[in-house]
Amino acid sequence: MIKLHGIPLSPYYNKVKIALLEKGVNFQEVVTTPSQEDELLEKSPMGKIPYVEINGHPLAESTVILEWLEDAYPTASLLPPTPNGRALARELTAMLELYVMQPASPLIRHMLKGSKPDAAKCEDIRQALARGIGAVAKLAQFRPWLAGEDFSFADLSAAGVLPVVARLSQSFLGEDMTQRLEGCPDYLRRLGERPSVARVWTERDVSLAALMARRD
């Protein structure tokens, strides 16, 4: 039995959860928040989520978990069949997480607190997001999936990152920055029609609504 630790609001948690669903792996979700407590650090050395426990063996970092799943459950592969295709899927994953999600991450704290960053900070974030989304646009295939014909790591990452960045940028920057990625609306529609993604998005939205209700 695999135990998946984290919360449905995390795009990285949702990336792993979609992978588990796609591969048909039996797993249990355990609500766990990031922490620097010793108990968590023993299992996730940076105190981050998600992490998994595989028959009691802990493993952290979402992309590392995906690679483990790919090795352990090679059927229903989440990487394209060719070396170049696999490299592109991994490259897009890195671009989305390093240059799209990370620049937007400071806005999460403001969303949770109900505060607003100053204008200069917002402009810095806008410029960083524009550059990151531009980089993704140069690589994205949309044939029909982000890295080509095969649903892959890149789509798992996009399913976690793009809706979060869309919400944050619309709320704080006055513009849904993901719309700068040509083809994004149709792509997100296709993602949402996939049962694994639809389930994860629904459960994420329920968790977000509960969190915002508590904040208010």
Side-chain angles (χ1 to χ4, degrees):
M1 165 72 77
I2 293 177
K3 292 184 179 181
L4 173 61
H5 292 258
I7 54 175
L9 298 177
S10 163
Y12 307 105
Y13 176 89
N14 288 333
K15 176 177 79 170
V16 174
K17 184 174 174 179
I18 294 169
L20 289 163
L21 292 169
E22 287 284 333
K23 287 182 174 291
V25 178
N26 188 27
F27 69 101
Q28 174 187 351
E29 295 182 75
V30 182
V31 175
T32 306
T33 54
S35 168
Q36 293 301 301
E37 297 293 329
D38 289 344
E39 183 178 358
L40 180 58
L41 292 173
E42 288 179 3
K43 297 178 179 179
S44 177
M46 293 298 292
K48 295 165 57 178
I49 57 165
Y51 71 92
V52 295
E53 290 183 277
I54 306 157
N55 296 323
H57 175 73
L59 182 65
E61 299 297 333
S62 61
T63 298
V64 175
I65 297 168
L66 292 191
E67 297 285 2
W68 184 91
L69 287 169
E70 197 68 12
D71 288 340
Y73 301 93
T75 56
S77 177
L78 292 171
L79 284 171
T82 67
N84 285 353
R86 295 161 84 89
L88 177 59
R90 291 180 169 112
E91 187 178 14
L92 280 161
T93 297
M95 291 286 182
L96 283 162
E97 295 179 5
L98 293 174
Y99 308 122
V100 179
M101 190 64 239
Q102 282 195 16
S105 293
L107 298 175
I108 295 174
R109 181 177 67 256
H110 291 284
M111 180 190 73
L112 296 175
K113 292 183 176 180
S115 59
K116 185 173 177 62
D118 62 38
K121 183 63 175 178
C122 284
E123 187 56 31
D124 287 345
I125 293 172
R126 184 191 307 277
Q127 292 182 16
L129 281 175
R131 186 177 182 188
I133 289 168
V136 171
K138 290 179 181 179
L139 299 174
Q141 303 291 304
F142 296 130
R143 295 198 325 262
W145 304 112
L146 206 59
E149 296 179 358
D150 302 285
F151 187 81
S152 73
F153 283 15
D155 303 293
L156 304 177
S157 182
V161 167
L162 291 178
V164 173
V165 171
R167 182 188 297 268
L168 291 171
S169 59
Q170 183 67 62
S171 297
F172 293 99
L173 308 181
E175 174 189 0
D176 176 356
M177 297 290 289
T178 67
Q179 297 302 302
R180 297 192 183 194
L181 181 60
E182 187 175 355
C184 189
D186 286 341
Y187 171 64
L188 290 175
R189 176 185 53 77
R190 288 194 297 277
L191 274 178
E193 291 170 352
R194 203 165 180 99
S196 62
V197 177
R199 172 180 161 179
V200 167
W201 282 0
T202 297
E203 291 171 359
R204 176 206 62 200
D205 290 346
V206 168
S207 293
L208 180 60
L211 176 67
M212 300 305 285
R214 290 196 299 271
R215 191 200 73 181
D216 295 339

